């Protein structure tokens, strides 16, 4: 007990120490080297986990510790913004930690599972892959990742043009894993330490070499055809428009905002001789060019007059609207030409700006009256920023959360952008500057990944000028009125690996894990088939049998789950058959299948595994072994054995001992052979009744005619659905996007893979419903011979199963081909 307690405290200490180190690392600056060691105590703690449950627990605890150490400011900001108070905001953040940082849980679980069968290297690669794959699959508010902490390293951050900040995270995890492995092998000699220490040393060296090379190539002397444009960024330090409206009135607020920006803009043009002006996000708090009132038309004209007077183009945050609704937008205005167009914010802030349609409604609005009503834009746009003397730079605007999306900046670079113009309102970070610093560093990575310079203006800080190396050349302080002048040294750079391949690290890691999982699954299936075939080839020998031991209560629970699962898929099939032609939403259908069929089926399978046992007969003794106990029953003490007449959750045999009925049943095995084996071992009291004989023959039929390959769920509902899904998905891609990978090229790999998953899942659900219908016919046909000739039940069922497999694997594809063939 004391050893267990001591081990638990060591685990907690390791998690807390790593969290504390990450808390320091998150502040940036000279703390960036901590990124290479901060994970080590946590890894050593993870290595002590006992079983997958322990790994899951440790990952959950680490996600909470990490959020508390790194994002406490975010909880306080939430509390202040929503009015619930800093303490309540922090509590809400802690409760949501597993959802905000799920990569810790995936990381701990995957590295534990892989580490049980493989060495430290594959465990490290699998864990790092699980981390970055989870970050790719599960969106986070600021898209934060460990690699962002390396922005403080001028050299190492240059590696982000290869794999983004996520690529840096992958390398950081590998280095930490190498150091942790070296620590665990410290008593095994120099040879055992050579491999992990080499990795821990060579990876940073390689990063340094590449970073120095990229810095050298990006020096001004190596750049040709550079267009220089001076842009004045106006940080007016006007925030909390709602309070100002209450104090001044809506008209006076807009007038005050425009007057302040006009004054600061004149300073920029007259004192700093800028070529263009950039104002922050939603600085003009109404629609531009589509006025809602006469006062709005006057304000629109005032902006146009300012641009004409100063004779420089202006980019500013405003609203746009169409028949679908309103948008957070950036307007481009030129002297002499007026409004050029709008960019609509692609990623509105969740809840405060945008509410998904599935969540929105009167009840939600009543609970959260402050929730936003803006709509999401439709992706990147590139505009010309033209000076009065004819210089022109192709710029891509990004608004607030847009700059945390790597693919949005990459898509803009692919459209020909030469620079990034960022606009944000980080006023809710005023009391929490660490949040503003994080947002700025994340935005800087967009410049490294695309090698495009960036000018970023905010309402009250931090505004900044960022060059193509990710260097923050100029910046302002928080909560200050300021005019910041940044020079865009714009050119069309050579496409980086990130621009060519997109955000490839996460999808590649995910695909690698899927491949590993498939190989591991096929290996397990192969071993399972071999061992099962060897055990059940003959029942006369002493080979052990895989069974489960269930009490009446757990039989009822598992049987209920099976009834819900099997009944659920039959209900869905009936609904599909009786549908009156109304289109079925495939996503809703998949989620219904998950909730009604998959979850109860998975729960029943897990419970059966929890009560798994191995049965054998040794020296006229029935031996049942489970991980935590071993039962021995003399066969002479077994006076009878009754077969379950209703095979739910599966076939079962209930033993009766001299002392009375045994409360556990032997479940999941051929009852006819089990009874015969007990008789052969000396259980002479086991007798036959007519009902038991029929139930035994029924159970024998259920177990004797299974095909180890064709009846396996992985083939039936995992691989086989790809046969109809892939052609249908390709046809959809060609029609909707012009090519097989059209959606990938338009919206990125994640959207393409998600669409492919939906098509596969939809076909898997439909094939499961077809299989359920065929299963009803097979089970009903199996019952017919029981009343007349029970000995023929197995033969009848074998014929029915062959017919069902033919209809499923051959009939369904033929039926689809006949429907699609242009007769």
């Amino acid at each position: 007990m004391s050893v267990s307690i001591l081990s638990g405290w060591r685990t907690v200490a390791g998690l807390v120490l790593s969290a504390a180190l990450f808390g320091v690392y998150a502040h940036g600056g000279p703390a960036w080297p901590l990124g290479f060691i901060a994970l080590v105590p946590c890894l050593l703690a993870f290595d002590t986990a006992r079983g997958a449950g322990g790994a899951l627990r440790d990952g959950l605890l680490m996600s909470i510790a990490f959020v508390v150490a790194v994002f406490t400011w975010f909880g306080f900001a939430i509390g202040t913004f929503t009015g619930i108070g800093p303490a309540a905001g922090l509590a809400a953040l802690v409760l949501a930690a597993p959802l905000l940082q799920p990569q810790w849980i995936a990381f701990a679980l995957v590295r534990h599972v892989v580490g049980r069968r493989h060495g430290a290297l594959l465990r490290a690669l699998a864990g790092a892959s699980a981390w970055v794959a989870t970050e790719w699959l599960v969106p986070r508010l600021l898209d934060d990742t460990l690699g962002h902490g390396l922005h403080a390293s001028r050299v190492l951050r240059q590696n982000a043009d290869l794999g983004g900040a996520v690529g840096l995270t992958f390398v950081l995890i590998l280095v930490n894993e190498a150091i942790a492995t070296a620590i665990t092998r410290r008593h095994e000699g120099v040879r055992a330490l050579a491999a992990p220490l080499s990795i821990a040393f060579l990876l940073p060296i390689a990063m340094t070499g590449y970073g120095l090379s990229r810095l050298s190539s990006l020096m001004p002397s190596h750049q040709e055809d550079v267009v220089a444009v001076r842009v004045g960024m106006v940080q007016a330090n006007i925030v909390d428009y709602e309070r100002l409206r209450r104090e001044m009135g809506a008209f006076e607020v807009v007038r005050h905002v425009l007057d302040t920006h006009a004054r600061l803009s004149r300073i920029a043009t007259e004192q700093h001789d800028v070529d263009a002006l950039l104002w922050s996000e939603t600085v003009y708090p109404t629609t531009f060019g589509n006025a809602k009132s006469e006062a709005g038309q006057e304000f629109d004209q005032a902006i146009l007059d300012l641009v004409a007077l100063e004779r420089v183009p202006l980019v500013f945050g405003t609203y746009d609207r169409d028949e679908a609704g309103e948008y957070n937008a950036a307007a481009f205005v030129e002297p002499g030409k007026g409004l050029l167009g709008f960019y609509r914010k692609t990623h509105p802030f969740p809840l405060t700006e945008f509410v998904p349609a599935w969540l929105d409604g009167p009840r939600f609005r009543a609970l959260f009256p402050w929730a936003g009503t803006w709509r999401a834009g439709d992706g990147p746009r590139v505009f010309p920023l033209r000076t009065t003397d004819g210089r022109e730079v192709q710029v891509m605007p990004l608004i607030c959360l847009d700059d945390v999306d790597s693919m949005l900046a990459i898509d803009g670079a692919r459209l020909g952008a030469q620079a990034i113009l960022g606009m944000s309102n980080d006023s809710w970070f005023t009391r929490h500057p660490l949040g503003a610093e994080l947002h700025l560093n994340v935005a800087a990575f967009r410049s490294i990944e695309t090698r495009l310079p960036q000018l970023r203006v905010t309402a009250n800080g931090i505004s900044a000028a960022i060059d193509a190396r990710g260097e923050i050349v100029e910046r302002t302080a928080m909560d200050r009125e300021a005019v910041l002048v940044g020079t865009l040294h714009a050119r069309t750079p050579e496409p980086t690996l990130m621009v060519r391949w997109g955000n490839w690290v996460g999808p590649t890691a995910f695909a690698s894990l899927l491949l590993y999982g498939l190989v591991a699954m096929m290996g397990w299936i192969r071993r399972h088939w071999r061992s099962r075939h060897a055990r059940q080839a003959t029942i006369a020998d002493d080979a052990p049998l895989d069974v489960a031991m269930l009490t009446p209560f757990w039989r009822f629970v598992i049987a209920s789950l099976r009834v819900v699962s099997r009944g659920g898929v039959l209900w869905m099939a009936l609904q599909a058959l009786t549908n009156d032609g109304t289109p079925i939403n495939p996503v809703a259908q998949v989620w219904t299948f998950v909730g009604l069929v998959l979850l109860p089926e998975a729960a029943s399978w897990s419970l059966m595994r929890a009560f798994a046992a191995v049965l054998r007969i040794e020296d006229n003794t029935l031996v049942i072994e489970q991980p935590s106990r071993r039962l021995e029953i003399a066969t002479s003490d077994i006076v009878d054995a009754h077969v379950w007449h209703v095979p739910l959750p599966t076939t079962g045999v209930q033993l009766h001992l001299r002392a009375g009925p045994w409360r556990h049943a032997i479940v999941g095995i051929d009852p006819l052979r089990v009874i015969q084996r007990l008789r052969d071992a000396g259980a002479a009291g086991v007798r036959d009744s007519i009902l038991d004989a029929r139930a035994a023959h029924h159970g024998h039929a259920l177990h004797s005619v299974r095909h180890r390959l064709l009846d396996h769920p992985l083939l039936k509902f995992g691989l086989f659905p790809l046969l109809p899904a892939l052609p249908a998905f390709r046809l959809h891609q060609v029609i909707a996007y012009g090519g097989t990978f059209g959606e990938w090229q338009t919206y990125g790999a994640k959207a393409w893979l998600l669409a492919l998953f939906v098509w596969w899942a939809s076909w898997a659900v439909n094939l499961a419903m077809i299989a359920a219908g065929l299963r009803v016919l097979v089970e009903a046909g199996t019952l017919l011979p029981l009343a007349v000739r029970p000995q023929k039940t197995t033969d009848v069922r074998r014929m029915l199963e062959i017919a069902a497999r033919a209809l499923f694997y051959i009939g369904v594809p033929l039926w689809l081909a006949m429907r699609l063939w242009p007769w």
Side-chain angles (χ1 to χ4, degrees):
M1 179 68 71
S2 60
V3 174
S4 177
I5 294 175
L6 180 60
S7 176
W9 277 112
R10 286 177 176 174
T11 298
V12 172
L15 302 183
V16 171
L17 179 56
S18 275
L21 290 173
F22 278 121
V24 178
Y25 172 70
H27 284 76
W32 66 262
L34 289 178
F36 291 99
I37 61 171
L39 195 59
V40 172
C42 171
L43 295 174
L44 297 176
F46 282 177
D47 289 343
T48 64
R50 295 183 178 179
L56 196 63
R57 176 204 62 208
D58 292 346
L60 178 65
L61 291 175
M62 189 60 205
S63 71
I64 296 173
F66 183 80
V67 164
V68 171
V70 177
F71 292 105
T72 298
W73 59 268
F74 189 47
F76 292 161
I78 291 174
T80 302
F81 181 82
T82 59
I84 63 176
L90 180 59
L93 188 73
V94 170
L95 291 175
L99 299 177
L100 296 173
Q101 301 293 328
Q103 70 275 9
W104 284 104
I105 300 172
F107 174 69
L109 190 58
V110 168
R111 73 185 299 274
H112 172 78
V113 171
V114 175
R116 289 189 305 178
R117 299 187 60 86
H118 304 284
L121 179 60
L122 189 56
R123 181 184 66 181
L125 290 171
S129 296
W131 185 295
V132 298
T134 305
E135 289 187 333
W136 174 67
L137 289 169
V138 183
R140 294 170 317 288
L141 190 60
L142 293 178
D143 205 33
D144 51 278
T145 187
L146 299 182
H148 287 139
L150 292 184
H151 180 266
S153 172
R154 185 168 178 264
V155 174
L156 297 185
R157 69 177 180 229
Q158 306 307 320
N159 290 263
D161 69 357
L162 297 175
V166 175
L168 300 182
T169 297
F170 193 90
V171 176
L172 286 174
I173 293 174
L174 292 184
V175 173
N176 277 271
E177 287 273 16
I179 295 174
T181 300
I183 292 174
T184 59
R185 296 179 180 178
R186 63 189 182 277
H187 300 305
E188 299 178 18
V190 175
R191 181 172 297 180
L193 295 175
L197 289 180
S198 296
I199 293 174
F201 178 74
L202 292 177
L203 282 178
I205 291 297
M207 293 175 68
T208 301
Y210 179 82
L212 291 172
S213 173
R214 290 301 283 152
L215 282 174
S216 175
S217 67
L218 293 169
M219 294 297 290
S221 59
H222 291 81
Q223 301 183 33
E224 301 175 357
D225 302 324
V226 175
V227 176
V229 175
R230 290 170 56 82
V231 179
M233 292 170 277
V234 175
Q235 180 177 301
N237 199 33
I238 301 176
V239 296
D240 199 355
Y241 280 28
E242 291 301 321
R243 178 183 60 80
L244 293 175
R245 283 191 182 98
R246 292 193 299 268
E247 296 176 357
M248 304 170 61
F251 181 90
E252 291 302 324
V253 169
V254 179
R255 172 56 60 193
H256 170 62
V257 169
L258 290 183
D259 287 347
T260 303
H261 281 79
R263 172 175 58 82
L264 295 174
S265 296
R266 282 193 294 272
I267 294 174
T269 56
E270 295 173 3
Q271 298 182 17
H272 300 284
D273 194 27
V274 299
D275 301 308
L277 292 169
L278 180 62
W279 297 354
S280 64
E281 176 189 12
T282 59
V283 63
Y284 185 52
T286 184
T287 55
F288 179 78
N290 193 0
K292 301 177 182 179
S293 64
E294 291 185 3
Q297 292 177 348
E298 294 178 8
F299 290 135
D300 287 1
Q301 189 59 48
I303 292 176
L304 294 173
D305 292 343
L306 173 66
V307 171
L309 178 64
E310 302 299 334
R311 295 181 56 80
V312 293
L314 169 65
V315 184
F316 65 100
T318 181
Y319 305 172
D320 186 23
R321 68 173 177 174
D322 58 18
E323 62 278 1
E326 286 194 353
Y327 305 83
N328 186 340
F332 282 71
V333 179
E334 272 192 11
K337 294 184 179 180
L339 178 64
L340 292 183
F342 292 97
Y343 162 73
R344 294 170 173 175
K345 185 176 181 180
T346 302
H347 299 296
F349 203 91
L351 301 183
T352 59
E353 293 183 345
F354 168 77
V355 179
W358 60 269
L359 182 62
D360 205 357
R363 181 174 297 179
F364 178 85
R365 294 289 173 180
L367 291 174
F368 305 100
W370 44 264
T373 57
W374 278 328
R375 299 183 63 83
D378 51 5
R381 292 193 66 185
V382 175
F383 291 86
L385 188 65
R386 288 186 283 257
T387 65
T388 55
D389 60 4
R391 284 169 293 155
E392 181 175 312
V393 177
Q394 300 296 319
V395 297
M396 162 184 43
L398 296 176
I399 302 176
C400 194
L401 279 186
D402 288 345
D403 59 23
V404 307
D405 182 1
S406 296
M407 282 309 303
L408 193 62
I410 288 169
D411 288 339
R414 291 170 176 173
L415 291 174
Q418 297 173 303
I420 300 172
L421 296 183
M423 291 172 281
S424 186
N425 184 353
D426 290 348
S427 59
W428 66 315
F429 293 142
T430 302
R431 298 181 183 178
H432 313 284
L434 188 59
E437 292 284 355
L438 173 60
H439 196 181
L440 175 61
N441 289 343
V442 172
F445 272 92
R446 304 297 83 83
S447 289
I448 302 172
E449 293 159 355
T450 60
R451 295 305 178 187
L452 300 179
Q454 179 179 174
L455 298 180
R456 184 173 182 272
V457 65
T458 64
N460 71 330
I462 304 168
S463 301
I466 305 168
D467 66 15
R469 301 166 296 179
E471 190 77 26
I472 300 174
V473 181
E474 301 285 349
R475 58 180 289 165
T476 64
M478 289 285 294
D479 201 24
R480 296 287 188 274
E481 183 182 280
V483 173
L484 181 67
V485 178
T487 302
L488 287 177
H489 297 284
R491 64 187 182 95
T492 302
E494 184 71 20
T496 65
L497 188 65
M498 281 289 286
V499 172
R500 293 181 187 275
W501 290 8
N503 190 10
W504 62 274
V505 175
T508 302
F510 181 66
S512 300
L513 287 177
L514 285 181
L515 179 61
Y516 170 82
L518 181 62
V519 171
M521 176 66 72
M522 296 306 295
W524 178 85
I525 292 173
R526 185 168 58 252
R527 292 191 301 273
H528 178 71
W529 284 342
R530 288 175 178 173
S531 62
R532 183 170 183 175
H533 181 72
R535 287 195 302 269
Q536 296 189 348
T538 175
I539 201 70
D541 58 18
D542 295 331
L545 304 174
D546 289 333
V547 298
M549 306 301 298
L550 297 183
T551 62
F553 171 79
W554 286 113
R555 180 194 178 187
F556 174 79
V557 171
I558 298 174
S560 300
L561 290 169
R562 290 277 173 91
V563 169
V564 171
S565 174
R566 312 298 165 82
V569 71
L570 288 174
W571 175 81
M572 291 183 66
L574 184 62
Q575 292 293 311
L577 285 173
T578 58
N579 183 35
D580 57 0
T582 304
I584 297 176
N585 185 333
V587 177
Q589 186 185 50
V590 170
W591 278 114
T592 302
F593 184 83
V594 169
L596 202 58
V597 181
L598 279 187
L599 290 181
E601 186 71 16
S604 68
W605 180 87
S606 300
L607 289 173
M608 287 288 286
R609 294 297 301 170
F611 295 107
V614 176
L615 179 148
R616 63 170 60 89
I617 293 180
E618 299 175 352
D619 299 326
N620 295 330
T621 301
L622 177 66
V623 178
I624 299 173
E625 289 184 325
Q626 291 179 306
S628 58
R629 62 176 178 171
R630 173 186 171 98
L631 300 176
E632 296 183 359
I633 302 173
T635 54
S636 59
D637 290 336
I638 302 174
V639 298
D640 206 352
H642 293 295
V643 181
W644 285 350
H645 298 158
V646 179
L648 277 177
T650 181
T651 55
V653 175
Q654 189 76 50
L655 299 181
H656 288 253
L657 309 179
R658 295 186 186 278
W662 193 34
R663 63 190 301 265
H664 288 86
I666 303 172
V667 180
I669 196 65
D670 184 343
L672 193 63
R673 292 182 173 177
V674 167
I675 290 175
Q676 184 59 46
R677 188 166 181 178
L678 289 173
R679 287 173 175 169
D680 293 343
V686 176
R687 67 185 189 280
D688 282 332
S689 68
I690 295 176
L691 289 178
D692 273 352
R694 288 174 177 167
H697 281 292
H698 186 209
H700 177 66
L702 293 180
H703 281 273
S704 298
V705 297
R706 292 176 181 172
H707 193 285
R708 61 182 186 179
L709 176 62
L710 297 179
D711 292 338
H712 199 282
L714 180 63
L715 176 64
K716 291 183 71 171
F717 309 119
L719 298 178
F720 185 67
L722 292 173
L723 180 63
L726 289 178
F729 173 72
R730 182 183 182 279
L731 181 62
H732 161 73
Q733 289 288 310
V734 171
I735 293 174
Y737 300 100
T740 304
F741 297 95
E743 190 172 8
W744 186 312
Q745 295 169 351
T746 305
Y747 296 108
K750 186 175 182 179
W752 188 88
L753 290 172
L754 181 61
L756 176 59
F757 173 80
V758 171
W759 277 90
W760 167 81
S762 180
W763 276 105
V765 170
N766 281 281
L767 287 172
M769 291 190 289
I770 293 173
L774 293 173
R775 180 56 46 202
V776 170
L777 297 177
V778 170
E779 298 299 335
T782 303
L783 295 176
L784 294 177
L786 284 177
V788 183
R789 300 186 66 182
Q791 296 82 357
K792 292 294 183 181
T793 303
T794 299
D795 295 332
V796 172
R797 186 178 181 88
R798 181 175 289 109
M799 291 186 294
L800 291 173
E801 289 282 6
I802 292 173
R805 293 181 194 120
L807 288 172
F808 185 83
Y809 286 109
I810 301 174
V812 171
L814 285 178
W815 174 72
L816 290 173
M818 292 176 63
R819 292 197 61 183
L820 297 175
W821 189 264
W823 297 100

